[in-house]
Amino acid sequence: MRTYSLDDVYETRKRRDSWWTVYFVDPVACRVALPVANRTRMTPNGLTVLSLVLGMVSAVCFATNHLIAGAGFFYLSFMIDCVDGKIARLKGTGTPFGLWLDYVGDRIRVVLCAGGLAYGQYALTGDVRYVVLGAAVAVLDLFRYVNAPQMKRVREAVREERQEPDPLSDPDPLLGPDPLLGPDPLLDRDPLLHPDPLTGPDPLPGQEPERAALGRTSRPRAFFRLFRRVNRFLARHRVRSHLVSGIEFHAAVFVIAPIAGAWALIPLAALSGLLLLTNEVFLVYRMWLFTRRHGAGSPQESREHVLV
């Protein structure tokens, strides 16, 4: 049986991931994955089930008002959930059923932990706001994981209509490359050979009407130019541009807030939920720009495509 090295495990890390995973989970998960790969026969599906069990333990701790223990078990659950993907990529033992199990297990863990937090705090204080908190966390999580695959479907539908290959296709629509940013920001681009229609140079005198017709004023161009620069910086550190996505939302609600204390549950959940919604709105806006830019061959056709 092959013996793996830590460098082999590092190669299984996603090219870009959430900042919470990159800085607070991967350093631990990689070192856990190494002995699991070399000294055990644990399968990715077995690790996923273990992750779900730890998530259930976390929910019980939250329901019995052991907040710090609940936060610790939630972190362990998520960390093991990262290990299963690394083992699958390291040994090539991933399966389609494993993808489904991982996805469903994540949703079950979040719903149970949200319910545990709501029940525990409501039983302790009688404050109905904690019931609203649990419901809001579950709904936001489900919205996030429903919205992302739907946006991926829209992108694929546009490319299929134009009969273009999708260079950014990824088996994980939530953690893969950003579908709306264009080419890999780490690749060197020649702005003269591959101009960016959102962040490229100002249009020539005869092009202003077309750019204006698509709503690409100087202010959005400047914003996306700044966004790309920030995105390149983050990409060098393997961090996605989605700074507040589902993973950060879970970390704030189920790890950071419980460790800070019960007083922090509602404020941190509300703040992280607002940031998550803002991120989702931004993603939808960029998807809208993507459909307008790629939906048809001319500005008039693009406008008709959007209206339809």
Side-chain angles (χ1 to χ4, degrees), residues 78-134:
F78 183 76
M79 187 269 293
I80 295 298
D81 194 33
C82 292
V83 172
D84 68 8
K86 298 182 191 311
I87 297 298
R89 290 186 288 272
L90 189 66
K91 295 186 174 182
T93 54
T95 63
F97 177 78
L99 290 175
W100 175 87
L101 183 64
D102 186 69
Y103 179 86
V104 173
D106 288 346
R107 307 288 66 73
I108 294 175
R109 176 178 58 202
V110 171
V111 170
L112 289 179
C113 287
L117 270 179
Y119 173 81
Q121 293 305 304
Y122 179 74
L124 182 66
T125 65
D127 191 340
V128 73
R129 291 183 302 168
Y130 289 107
V131 177
V132 176
L133 167 68

Side-chain angles (χ1 to χ4, degrees), residues 155 158-159 162 164 168 178-183 189 194-200 210-211 213-216 224 228 285-299 301-303 305-306:
R155 185 191 74 207
V158 171
R159 292 190 180 278
R162 294 175 60 89
E164 294 179 356
L168 298 179
D178 191 334
L180 305 177
L181 276 176
R189 288 174 59 119
H194 304 285
D196 185 337
L198 289 178
T199 64
E210 179 177 342
R211 296 292 288 271
L214 291 176
R216 297 170 189 166
F224 278 100
R228 282 213 180 248
Y285 170 67
R286 287 163 59 200
M287 179 184 66
W288 176 68
L289 290 179
F290 175 82
T291 58
R292 296 187 74 182
R293 182 176 45 169
H294 295 287
S298 68
E301 291 173 346
S302 296
R303 288 193 295 273
H305 179 80
V306 172

Side-chain angles (χ1 to χ4, degrees), residues 19-228:
W19 61 265
W20 176 261
T21 301
V22 169
Y23 293 114
F24 295 99
V25 180
D26 262 354
V28 178
C30 287
R31 284 163 175 80
V32 171
L34 184 61
V36 169
N38 287 331
R39 301 177 185 176
T40 74
R41 295 182 179 273
M42 288 288 290
T43 65
N45 289 352
L47 290 166
T48 300
V49 172
L50 175 60
S51 171
L52 179 57
V53 171
L54 291 172
M56 292 177 178
V57 175
S58 173
V60 172
C61 291
F62 287 142
T64 55
N65 291 303
H66 295 87
L67 297 183
I68 294 180
F73 278 109
F74 187 91
Y75 174 87
L76 286 175
S77 174
F78 183 76
M79 187 269 293
I80 295 298
D81 194 33
C82 292
V83 172
D84 68 8
K86 298 182 191 311
I87 297 298
R89 290 186 288 272
L90 189 66
K91 295 186 174 182
T93 54
T95 63
F97 177 78
L99 290 175
W100 175 87
L101 183 64
D102 186 69
Y103 179 86
V104 173
D106 288 346
R107 307 288 66 73
I108 294 175
R109 176 178 58 202
V110 171
V111 170
L112 289 179
C113 287
L117 270 179
Y119 173 81
Q121 293 305 304
Y122 179 74
L124 182 66
T125 65
D127 191 340
V128 73
R129 291 183 302 168
Y130 289 107
V131 177
V132 176
L133 167 68
V137 168
V139 169
L140 282 174
D141 177 71
L142 291 175
F143 170 74
R144 159 68 182 163
Y145 281 88
V146 167
N147 188 39
Q150 292 304 313
M151 289 194 297
K152 184 173 184 289
R153 287 181 61 189
V154 169
R155 185 191 74 207
E156 291 173 345
V158 171
R159 292 190 180 278
E160 182 178 353
E161 181 180 338
R162 294 175 60 89
Q163 297 181 345
E164 294 179 356
D166 186 356
L168 298 179
S169 59
D170 191 279
D172 187 342
L174 303 179
L175 298 180
D178 191 334
L180 305 177
L181 276 176
D184 184 351
L186 288 176
L187 297 178
D188 293 330
R189 288 174 59 119
D190 185 340
L192 297 178
L193 297 177
H194 304 285
D196 185 337
L198 289 178
T199 64
D202 292 334
L204 297 175
Q207 295 177 322
E208 287 91 342
E210 179 177 342
R211 296 292 288 271
L214 291 176
R216 297 170 189 166
T217 61
S218 59
R219 186 169 299 176
R221 287 202 307 273
F223 171 79
F224 278 100
R225 187 178 297 116
L226 174 62
F227 181 84
R228 282 213 180 248

